[in-house]
Amino acid sequence: MTNEKKYIKTSTIADAISEAIKNSNSFRFVAGGTDIFPNKFQENDTSDCFIDIADIEELKQITYTKDYLNIGALTTLETLKNNEFIAQNFPTLLEAANSVASPVIRKSATLGGNLLCENRCHFYNQSAWWRQAAGHCLKCGGDICLANGGKKYCFSKFVSDTAIALISFNAKIEIVSPEKTEFLYLEEIYSGDGIQHLLLEKSSIIKSIQIPLNIIYKSVFKKLQQRKSLEFSSLTTCITVFKDNKIKIVAGAIAPKPIFVVGALKDDFSELITSIAKNSKIVENDSYSRVYRKNMIRVLLNRSIKEIQLTEK
Amino acid sequence: MKQISLNINNKFYNILVDEHELLSNVIREKIGLTGTKIGCEQGSCGACTVLVNNKAVLSCITPAISCDKAEITTIEALAENGKLHKLQKKFVEKGAIQCGFCTPGMVMTAINLVPELNKNDSPEKLRQQIKEGISGNLCRCTGYKKIIDAIVEYTLDESYKQEDSKFNSIKKLKTVGIPRPYIEAESKVKGEAEFADDIYIKNSLHCKFLRSIYPHAEIIEIDTSEAYKIKGVRYIAIGNELPITFGVLPISQDENAIAIKKVRYVGEIVAAVAADTEEIAAKACQLIKVKYNPIKEFLTIDESLADAGENEKIHEYGKFNNNIQKKAELRFGDQQQGFKDSEITSRMSFEFEGINHGFTEPHASTAFWDENGLTINTATQVPHYLHRALAKVLEVPLSRVRVIKPYIGGGFGGKSDPFAHEIIVAYLSRKTGKPVKVRLSREEVFLTNHGRHPTKMTVEMGFSNDGIIQALDADVAIDGGAYGSFGVVTTYYNGVLLQAPYKLSNFGFRTYRVYTNKPQCGAMRGHGAVNSRFAVESIIDEISYKIKIDPCELRMKNFLDSNTLTVGQYRITSNGSRESLQKVMDLSDWKNRFGKLEKGHGLGVACGFFISGSALPIFWNELPQSVVHLKLDFDGRVLISSGSSDIGQGSDTMLAIIVSEVLGISMENIFVLAGDTLLTPVDFGSYSSRVTFMAGNAAKDATENLKKEIIASVANQKHAIGKELNFENDRIFTNDKSVDLSWMEAVEILTAKRGAVSVSGKYISPKLGGDFKGAGAGLSPSYSFGACVTEVKVDLETGQVDVINIWGAHDCGKAINPLAVEGQLEGSWHMGMGQAVSEQMKYYKGLLLNNNFLDYKIPTSLDTPDINSNIIETMDPEGPFGAKESGEGAIHPVIPAIANAVYNAVGVRITKLPICAEDILTKISQNDLLNNKIIQ
Ligand SMILES: Cc1cc2nc3c(=O)[nH]c(=O)nc-3n(C[C@H](O)[C@H](O)[C@H](O)COP(=O)(O)OP(=O)(O)OC[C@H]3O[C@@H](n4cnc5c(N)ncnc54)[C@H](O)[C@@H]3O)c2cc1C
Ligand code: SF4
Ligand code: FES
Ligand code: FES
């Protein structure tokens, strides 16, 4: 059953996609690899073929026009930090990026990889031996969810921190697939199914992230974590208030996909939060309890809105 | 396989790698650059950090092929022509290196970080930048402070006032009490020091284990036939091949190297494979088929207290009809009367989760046999007990077992038992005739555990209104996991180690230890007394608010004096409790700040004490507790041989300092050979904080014997009076200089017509204690004392606790090496903080959920405040130069001090560890104290 193991380095998007098609049985694109290789160590990632896209220059540009900022998917989280333009226009994106993993990891970790990093769960991010001992759950081929006993849905948590910020900015991603190049709102690529949390076609490449310019009034990012570093999120939130008085609230790590709500500044803020909490699907699969995480949604969001109002004054 | 070319440290390699091979493996196993360490293999500890094209990366999650044609820099490249890089030098000087296992990764991270720092920031901000920058690199020994100091000084380089006086003096003065880097610090910072996994013995086979997936089950059948079919599998061992049991304590030899007939926890070894490579061995493990018949499992203390059916008991032996392993009870004075006399009492129940040592170096061992019998290189704190266990289980004479302790990447008690994996590789090596090596994954390290016991206890204390303790009673249950380990001692310690630092006349306890179907618990820093100390210090705090006496003052009122006996007849000699407490009160500005902080912001205090070595040996015998040999030869070098184990605490350096002090010679003339049971005399090893006191005294004794020899021969030759000879500055002279010899001249006189001189010294503890049953528990020739004040901020909406300050003071008698003592203290306080706020072993149906460094939450540099450490010196009458322990006792006060600070901040009494944000929040909402703003 052992298939040939491969590691292929590519230098153009076209190359990468054609290798993907050639190895369609079992492959994965590797950007920084910081999400993939820990998962591979635990044998959750069993791809035979890794297609390394880290040298593709087309994926590394940061450019902007009058209306958009375009960040190449391979931009590392650290590079983001050093970009003046981003620091000025999207400080919350930097906050989000800086909350990921650790400084050394952020030197390799890419923005694209962060958006696509695998969902997590206490019962899933374990060694093969552990998962065998526990009895496999839905996400690794078993027939029951260990977190809540259900037989149908996996509620592994969505952990990308930058995605939460980007979605709140109404960012889009540029997807190159064998057939076409398209722009989708970032939130559109997440399925909500914890087992297969992405709707992307596997052989497609994220080329860039496109953020609209000059429409944001203010945004606030928060992440609930136990330690101050080396922590995946237990709850990530970002609120963005737009110049047209619209407001977008996004929350992560409380469901298999980001949860968001769009409203207007004049709306009852409490109701907006309620809608987020209602749509959350938190199970006992994190170092913080389900109830606590749920309660914290309101706390973090209230705090965020207060910060926005404060600057308003 | 694929050929890649790498430029590693400016040397070019064309090398064949597996397609999915990781860079760490290539660097360590293929190139042999073992300075790069492996601590977790999952990107969550930083030990494996190297530079790829001048960018720091974690080599354990970086595929090698992705680095094709890249320039790679590892720790080995930093020193040029053998000369330390300036940053390395700072690490050495500042004492940033203890066990040294995190050091290479830390240095590589820092080297990459420094150019990115904004050097114009204020000193505090610069520190913060550095804390942030190294926050993915875990260190379990140092509390990060000295590491950050080193990086700060390097960053500011010339512009910073270099070495503060401390270190300038090193070169001139060579004596006890001078802060000094470890003698091996350079080889650690260069990545040259070899840890157990760095040692490769030619032709070694590799061992992997098949581990139980049931917490409690009968083993019906093990079928190894499929596994044997794999090419490269050399031997598969199963339990009944090693029928003799072992354990660290003679009274609980309840463990088999490989499970026989039944398994008692998820993770227990069921079969062991020796194969040509690790991959083959791992694959073979997957093909071994085991049939189990599950038995009812016992996972909590309560479950194990209940009666069990005969076939359900975890261990068959034992007089109880349940899973209680050991009960201990001692009563002193008249507790009933004491409580009657009390005007105020408080009775509280506490729960503590299990804690793991979290040393950064995973266990590893290599064993081989030759004409001298068995040799094993292994990460152990106690070569001597392993020596005994190997001889026993493998049925070989003691004289045919050699245990060698290489550099050890931290122990904290977690490497002090003889371990199954050590016995197994020794056995597999005998079976296959080849060296056999094993290294455990981080998950396996967690499963091996032997950490702090999960504990439940109820403690009651009575006070008179003037704040004097009238009575103390404790009822403690500890969850031992599947085997005995040090547990019987732990059981006693939870009770007996409450009899100081406060005067008690009426005191008693009942403690028991149960077996459960989980990885076994054992000794961990502060052994046995950490949790019960927490309880007592919390109750004292509670009472202080009730009777409105400042908690510091209340403690001051109750301290034992020096030179006294405790109620259970511990002999207290030096006692720096008062000085310690006063110190942290002063530094924290306690008087002015306590009770005056705003809501959510609090100060807390606690005290503690600990043994300085156990006066009784574990194996009853008449050997001295420690023996040290010295050999002085024609070259002027004194060779110290000692069986003690330096595990990063600096004991080798301590021995050298003592010899240097007594002989007045420089450290360059001294060489330490330690932890090798063939070459070094027996020492009981590094546990119970015994090394400085016992091995230190033995070294001093030996050196004095050597000095006598030198005096005799010099006096004889020079017709001088022996008593008038001084030993100082590498010279031996009389005050009138009628004799004035260099060290070498004296050595020539000594060795003339005689050759090398060998002498021996020993330490035997004085007879101590009462003659009641249990009187021996916790007896020590000396005790350390200490205090902590901590400052916390509690987020009133999330319940999260931020420890923003720790002031600690610890009476270590005399700091033989203040730099090392500070390091021990800072490490203890950091580790205690972990237990207080974030660490715990969490189980799901007997399976350890958080078996990695991402989910087992050791505080990072960003979580750790700049610890303010203070050494209190009281000159112990029996310690070497007045010294006593500093490696464990300091952890006791910090944990309750944090909890008490939380109480001060939000009026929530912490009765469960780790402190849980959610609980705090719930209690805050129910709490009137807080809403009416707290106390006092
Ligand atoms: C200790 C530790 C802590 C961590 N903490 C956090 C955290 O707090 N928050 C967090 O979000 N993450 C965390 N991570 C996960 C990970 O480091 C980050 O998500 C990182 O940003 C992933 O980026 P990468 O480039 O390394 O992705 P990779 O591992 O290379 O890839 C991740 C996924 O994205 C796909 N992919 C990557 N780029 C593209 C592209 N351009 N087109 C198509 N597919 C692509 C890959 O095929 C893969 O499926 C942590 C990891 C570790 C080891
Ligand atoms: S949520 Fe349930 S199904 Fe999904 S990974 Fe966790 S345990 Fe498995
Ligand atoms: S070994 Fe690589 S980060 Fe721990
Ligand atoms: S010195 Fe850092 S882990 Fe030991």
Side-chain angles (χ1 to χ4, degrees):
Chain A
M1 201 195 73
T2 41
N3 298 324
E4 195 196 349
K5 303 271 181 241
K6 289 190 197 166
Y7 193 99
I8 300 164
K9 282 187 143 191
T10 55
S11 51
T12 64
I13 296 177
D15 264 5
I17 291 180
S18 81
E19 287 297 344
I21 293 167
K22 269 192 241 160
N23 296 284
S24 58
N25 280 344
S26 175
F27 78 96
R28 190 175 290 278
F29 292 126
V30 176
T34 63
D35 191 52
I36 295 171
F37 287 94
N39 283 332
K40 176 170 159 52
F41 174 77
Q42 297 191 316
E43 297 176 45
N44 275 320
D45 188 313
T46 52
S47 315
D48 293 323
C49 175
F50 288 117
I51 301 172
D52 187 329
I53 59 172
D55 291 338
I56 304 181
E57 288 303 319
E58 308 158 74
L59 299 177
K60 295 184 182 173
Q61 323 303 335
I62 302 182
T63 56
Y64 51 90
T65 61
K66 195 160 64 38
D67 299 321
Y68 293 104
L69 165 67
N70 256 69
I71 307 176
L74 274 183
T75 308
T76 66
L77 300 181
E78 179 178 82
T79 318
L80 283 183
K81 189 174 78 179
N82 301 330
N83 185 297
E84 279 291 313
F85 185 84
I86 298 178
Q88 271 175 16
N89 290 276
F90 301 102
T92 31
L93 175 59
L94 294 194
E95 272 181 60
N98 285 339
S99 80
V100 172
S102 72
V104 171
I105 291 176
R106 297 199 288 273
K107 287 174 195 260
S108 300
T110 65
L111 184 60
N114 190 251
L115 300 180
L116 303 188
C117 71
E118 189 51 77
N119 278 10
R120 295 184 69 89
C121 170
H122 253 179
F123 301 97
Y124 173 72
N125 296 101
Q126 296 284 358
S127 67
W129 169 81
W130 195 100
R131 285 178 281 117
Q132 186 203 349
H136 294 107
C137 74
L138 296 171
K139 194 166 166 64
C140 42
D143 48 25
I144 193 164
C145 165
L146 299 180
N148 76 347
K151 296 212 156 80
K152 276 200 184 135
Y153 303 107
C154 162
F155 298 107
S156 62
K157 61 178 187 169
F158 178 84
V159 290
S160 167
D161 296 305
T162 59
I164 302 305
L166 289 170
I167 291 171
S168 84
F169 306 157
N170 281 335
K172 287 184 174 172
I173 54 170
E174 183 185 2
I175 302 166
V176 184
S177 58
E179 303 83 36
K180 57 180 185 287
T181 296
E182 59 179 337
F183 284 86
L184 291 180
Y185 280 107
L186 179 53
E187 52 266 46
E188 291 172 351
I189 67 168
Y190 302 118
S191 70
D193 169 3
I195 298 174
Q196 189 50 264
H197 83 294
L198 296 173
L199 289 169
L200 280 185
E201 206 181 300
K202 230 189 142 192
S203 53
S204 50
I205 293 251
I206 299 195
K207 188 172 176 201
S208 75
I209 292 92
Q210 186 193 60
I211 313 174
L213 288 171
N214 303 320
I215 60 165
I216 294 176
Y217 165 64
K218 168 98 188 153
S219 81
V220 176
F221 173 87
K222 302 263 176 225
K223 176 171 171 179
L224 180 73
Q225 58 192 103
Q226 212 173 336
R227 292 185 295 192
K228 294 188 184 127
S229 184
L230 270 182
E231 290 277 52
F232 278 97
S233 178
S234 292
L235 164 63
T236 303
T237 62
C238 195
I239 299 187
T240 296
V241 177
F242 295 90
K243 288 182 175 159
D244 62 4
N245 283 335
K246 286 231 174 62
I247 179 168
K248 190 165 180 183
I249 306 177
V250 191
I254 53 170
K257 66 173 181 184
I259 303 293
F260 67 94
V261 55
V262 181
L265 210 43
K266 60 174 176 16
D267 290 349
D268 179 351
F269 189 67
S270 177
E271 266 173 34
L272 294 179
I273 299 181
T274 306
S275 128
I276 294 273
K278 257 202 192 135
N279 287 314
S280 72
K281 297 192 171 60
I282 313 178
V283 293
E284 269 332 326
N285 65 354
D286 181 69
S287 58
Y288 284 125
S289 81
R290 188 179 65 79
V291 173
Y292 180 72
R293 279 156 71 207
K294 187 145 197 174
N295 290 340
M296 287 306 107
I297 297 175
R298 194 164 289 276
V299 170
L300 295 202
L301 289 176
N302 272 328
R303 256 185 201 181
S304 307
I305 198 76
K306 249 185 226 145
E307 281 173 32
I308 290 174
Q309 284 158 351
L310 276 183
T311 50
E312 214 172 2
K313 276 169 198 164
Chain B
M1 295 286 243
K2 191 159 173 177
Q3 174 130 342
I4 58 169
S5 63
L6 299 174
N7 166 356
I8 305 186
N9 302 340
N10 270 327
K11 198 169 158 189
F12 292 86
Y13 297 87
N14 280 312
I15 194 161
L16 272 181
V17 299
D18 287 332
E19 267 67 13
H20 294 180
E21 190 167 346
L22 295 163
L23 182 60
S24 54
N25 200 59
V26 172
I27 292 175
R28 285 180 54 84
E29 310 294 332
K30 297 218 160 116
I31 314 282
L33 292 171
T34 54
T36 302
K37 304 301 179 199
I38 300 292
C40 72
E41 299 171 88
Q42 300 185 49
S44 42
C45 78
C48 64
T49 309
V50 300
L51 306 186
V52 174
N53 293 333
N54 212 21
K55 175 187 89 176
V57 307
L58 301 177
S59 60
C60 75
I61 54 170
T62 303
I65 296 184
S66 74
C67 304
D68 190 11
K69 305 197 176 64
E71 219 174 88
I72 292 166
T73 314
T74 71
I75 188 71
E76 286 89 348
L78 288 200
E80 261 181 61
N81 301 324
K83 233 181 110 218
L84 291 189
H85 184 280
K86 274 188 186 165
L87 175 62
Q88 290 176 306
K89 237 167 116 182
K90 285 293 172 199
F91 265 67
V92 171
E93 287 169 5
K94 288 278 139 192
I97 303 162
Q98 289 190 29
C99 78
F101 196 81
C102 73
T103 307
M106 202 65 96
V107 170
M108 296 315 285
T109 301
I111 227 80
N112 207 228
L113 169 71
V114 170
E116 297 163 7
L117 296 171
N118 177 359
K119 300 179 180 83
N120 301 324
D121 256 355
S122 67
E124 302 85 75
K125 283 201 181 141
L126 182 65
R127 277 190 91 82
Q128 193 58 30
Q129 288 182 55
I130 293 171
K131 276 190 180 184
E132 162 74 30
I134 61 168
S135 67
N137 293 65
L138 294 178
C139 174
R140 189 58 154 177
C141 300
T142 62
Y144 305 106
K145 185 172 174 208
K146 296 190 185 307
I147 293 172
I148 298 164
D149 288 348
I151 303 172
V152 170
E153 285 207 4
Y154 168 74
T155 306
L156 299 177
D157 200 31
E158 264 63 66
S159 62
Y160 193 69
K161 62 167 183 32
Q162 281 275 318
E163 353 264 274
D164 43 16
S165 57
K166 264 189 187 174
F167 299 107
N168 287 334
S169 52
I170 290 178
K171 281 158 208 94
K172 286 172 247 146
L173 258 174
K174 316 250 176 197
T175 181
V176 162
I178 302 297
R180 175 190 313 275
Y182 292 172
I183 50 181
E184 77 285 6
E186 275 206 17
S187 59
K188 284 177 176 171
V189 82
K190 284 173 161 173
E192 287 168 359
E194 289 204 317
F195 293 80
D197 185 33
D198 303 339
I199 295 167
Y200 175 73
I201 297 182
K202 242 188 350 208
N203 269 330
S204 288
L205 299 178
H206 298 265
C207 168
K208 284 274 182 194
F209 302 124
L210 176 69
R211 293 175 181 272
S212 162
I213 53 171
Y214 289 94
H216 201 189
E218 222 183 312
I219 301 171
I220 310 286
E221 193 189 322
I222 301 178
D223 176 0
T224 56
S225 53
E226 285 301 310
Y228 263 120
K229 286 183 190 156
I230 303 181
K231 222 169 127 208
V233 172
R234 301 296 160 177
Y235 194 78
I236 302 175
I238 58 168
N240 55 17
E241 296 172 50
L242 290 164
I244 298 174
T245 58
F246 67 96
V248 69
L249 302 182
I251 31 172
S252 51
Q253 304 269 309
D254 56 4
E255 209 179 332
N256 284 103
I258 305 177
I260 302 178
K261 287 196 190 134
K262 72 171 193 168
V263 289
R264 296 181 173 87
Y265 67 94
V266 182
E268 182 159 13
I269 298 172
V270 178
V273 179
D276 292 351
T277 66
E278 269 193 321
E279 294 69 42
I280 296 174
K283 199 155 188 205
C285 286
Q286 289 172 358
L287 294 179
I288 299 172
K289 293 190 199 89
V290 186
K291 266 196 212 144
Y292 295 99
N293 182 19
I295 308 173
K296 176 179 175 194
E297 70 248 23
F298 300 86
L299 297 174
T300 64
I301 292 176
D302 292 335
E303 284 168 19
S304 286
L305 290 177
D307 281 354
E310 197 44 44
N311 296 329
E312 288 172 4
K313 275 178 66 176
I314 297 173
H315 290 275
E316 275 156 33
Y317 70 84
K319 44 188 177 212
F320 309 111
N321 193 23
N322 47 32
N323 285 302
I324 295 180
Q325 180 205 359
K326 169 79 191 168
K327 285 187 188 170
E329 181 164 3
L330 285 174
R331 310 264 164 214
F332 305 99
D334 184 341
Q335 284 179 283
Q336 272 192 342
Q337 192 58 41
F339 280 112
K340 259 191 213 155
D341 294 345
S342 302
E343 284 151 311
I344 179 157
T345 60
S346 173
R347 183 185 160 87
M348 281 161 59
S349 296
F350 299 86
E351 271 180 57
F352 304 85
E353 298 288 351
I355 299 290
N356 184 269
H357 315 86
F359 40 74
T360 48
E361 178 212 17
H363 296 279
S365 321
T366 306
F368 62 91
W369 296 73
D370 59 16
E371 64 280 14
N372 300 315
L374 166 67
T375 299
I376 183 167
N377 265 295
T378 185
T380 178
Q381 294 178 236
V382 188
H384 178 60
Y385 295 150
L386 178 60
H387 182 176
R388 286 179 184 266
L390 286 166
K392 181 186 176 203
V393 180
L394 299 174
E395 299 181 276
V396 285
L398 285 162
S399 62
R400 306 286 291 166
V401 177
R402 177 180 185 186
V403 178
I404 303 175
K405 174 211 75 81
Y407 288 106
I408 305 293
F412 316 110
K415 291 173 180 163
S416 44
D417 296 58
F419 288 102
H421 64 264
E422 295 171 319
I423 293 168
I424 295 169
V425 290
Y427 174 73
L428 288 173
S429 168
R430 182 161 70 184
K431 275 285 169 191
T432 56
K434 289 198 172 163
V436 177
K437 174 169 184 168
V438 70
R439 56 185 191 115
L440 302 195
S441 68
R442 180 54 58 184
E443 179 175 29
E444 288 178 293
V445 173
F446 274 105
L447 293 173
T448 305
N449 195 29
H450 293 69
R452 195 167 335 287
H453 290 65
T455 305
K456 282 176 112 173
M457 66 176 76
T458 300
V459 177
E460 182 170 14
M461 291 180 79
F463 287 72
S464 50
N465 272 339
D466 60 356
I468 303 299
I469 304 173
Q470 301 298 329
L472 168 56
D473 186 56
D475 205 338
V476 183
I478 61 175
D479 173 352
Y483 293 96
S485 183
F486 278 92
V488 171
V489 178
T490 323
T491 313
Y492 269 107
Y493 277 7
N494 264 286
V496 290
L497 291 183
L498 291 178
Q499 61 189 288
Y502 308 110
K503 255 178 252 163
L504 295 172
S505 317
N506 308 306
F507 160 60
F509 66 84
R510 186 176 64 137
T511 57
Y512 43 89
R513 182 182 198 259
V514 298
Y515 285 125
T516 54
N517 293 112
K518 291 185 299 198
Q520 63 186 303
C521 300
M524 179 170 164
R525 192 179 227 164
H527 185 191
V530 167
N531 295 343
S532 51
R533 171 62 39 208
F534 180 90
V536 164
E537 297 295 323
S538 300
I539 293 180
I540 295 178
D541 201 63
E542 179 80 10
I543 295 277
S544 79
Y545 286 94
K546 283 193 177 147
I547 60 180
K548 298 205 165 29
I549 299 181
D550 178 283
C552 292
E553 201 184 309
L554 184 60
R555 287 174 167 84
M556 286 286 189
K557 276 175 182 252
N558 284 287
F559 280 139
L560 287 160
D561 297 319
S562 315
N563 303 313
T564 185
L565 280 184
T566 66
V567 65
Q569 300 187 40
Y570 288 1
R571 184 196 65 167
I572 304 292
T573 52
S574 59
N575 178 350
S577 291
R578 287 200 167 78
E579 295 89 326
S580 299
L581 181 52
Q582 192 60 51
K583 187 83 188 180
V584 290
M585 285 175 70
D586 293 348
L587 288 170
S588 61
D589 197 12
W590 178 270
K591 284 276 172 226
N592 292 317
R593 298 177 67 222
F594 178 68
K596 301 188 183 90
L597 302 172
E598 78 277 18
K599 217 184 199 184
H601 187 176
L603 283 174
V605 65
C607 297
F609 92 112
F610 199 60
I611 58 175
S612 199
S614 171
L616 300 177
I618 286 178
F619 280 85
W620 179 245
N621 63 57
E622 301 226 347
L623 288 173
Q625 275 123 326
S626 190
V627 171
V628 168
H629 287 173
L630 300 182
K631 186 197 78 178
L632 173 56
D633 210 342
F634 82 106
D635 52 15
R637 183 163 34 182
V638 181
L639 173 70
I640 305 175
S641 46
S642 158
S644 65
S645 302
D646 197 326
I647 56 172
Q649 85 279 41
S651 66
D652 286 355
T653 309
M654 175 277 297
L655 294 172
I657 293 172
I658 286 180
V659 173
S660 150
E661 174 77 22
V662 176
L663 293 176
I665 57 172
S666 49
M667 298 280 281
E668 284 90 85
N669 285 321
I670 300 170
F671 192 89
V672 184
L673 173 71
D676 179 331
T677 65
L678 174 69
L679 305 177
T680 61
V682 171
D683 177 283
F684 294 163
S686 288
Y687 64 95
S688 82
S689 275
R690 53 180 297 288
V691 184
T692 295
F693 202 92
M694 298 186 176
N697 264 324
K700 186 159 173 271
D701 184 42
T703 321
E704 273 154 9
N705 291 337
L706 181 60
K707 192 170 169 185
K708 277 183 209 150
E709 300 258 4
I710 300 171
I711 290 173
S713 62
V714 169
N716 183 28
Q717 244 246 332
K718 298 283 170 189
H719 310 292
I721 300 168
K723 267 193 289 192
E724 290 177 357
L725 290 173
N726 302 305
F727 286 66
E728 251 175 69
N729 295 328
D730 287 319
R731 299 196 75 76
I732 288 144
F733 58 92
T734 54
N735 284 342
D736 64 3
K737 301 281 158 113
S738 60
V739 177
D740 189 7
L741 301 170
S742 70
W743 172 246
M744 286 307 285
E745 288 165 336
V747 171
E748 263 171 49
I749 294 173
L750 175 71
T751 52
K753 300 207 171 58
R754 182 177 175 191
V757 173
S758 286
V759 300
S760 174
K762 62 180 181 301
Y763 177 77
I764 299 175
S765 167
K767 173 132 185 44
L768 296 166
D771 51 13
F772 50 90
K773 183 168 187 276
L779 280 185
S780 173
S782 180
Y783 297 89
S784 72
F785 298 87
C788 280
V789 167
T790 69
E791 181 173 356
V792 304
K793 284 207 166 152
V794 182
D795 185 318
L796 299 171
E797 290 175 329
T798 65
Q800 287 181 318
V801 173
D802 196 4
V803 179
I804 57 172
N805 266 309
I806 296 176
W807 296 271
H810 183 82
D811 159 25
C812 66
K814 165 80 195 168
I816 291 185
N817 180 0
L819 193 63
V821 172
E822 274 179 13
Q824 287 301 299
L825 302 181
E826 285 156 11
S828 295
W829 291 321
H830 168 255
M831 190 181 281
M833 193 187 106
Q835 180 172 0
V837 300
S838 55
E839 292 177 34
Q840 71 181 105
M841 294 183 71
K842 277 192 180 177
Y843 292 90
Y844 164 75
K845 300 188 175 170
L847 262 82
L848 185 62
L849 264 168
N850 51 350
N851 50 48
N852 57 65
F853 278 158
L854 198 57
D855 298 313
Y856 184 87
K857 298 179 192 292
I858 293 174
T860 69
S861 51
L862 273 177
D863 301 293
T864 313
D866 282 330
I867 295 167
N868 184 303
S869 52
N870 299 278
I871 296 172
I872 304 295
E873 297 194 324
T874 53
M875 302 308 288
D876 191 78
E878 293 177 14
F881 300 99
K884 49 190 184 181
E885 83 86 35
S886 66
E888 297 190 72
I891 199 174
H892 291 118
V894 69
I895 308 171
I898 291 170
N900 293 343
V902 170
Y903 183 77
N904 185 244
V906 292
V908 172
R909 179 59 65 202
I910 303 298
T911 56
K912 261 190 192 170
L913 287 186
I915 295 170
C916 164
E918 188 171 2
D919 287 354
I920 291 193
L921 217 53
T922 322
K923 287 182 186 152
I924 286 180
S925 64
Q926 305 158 349
N927 193 334
D928 309 330
L929 274 180
L930 175 68
N931 303 326
N932 310 325
K933 176 60 193 175
I934 338 158
I935 9 276
Q936 294 197 341

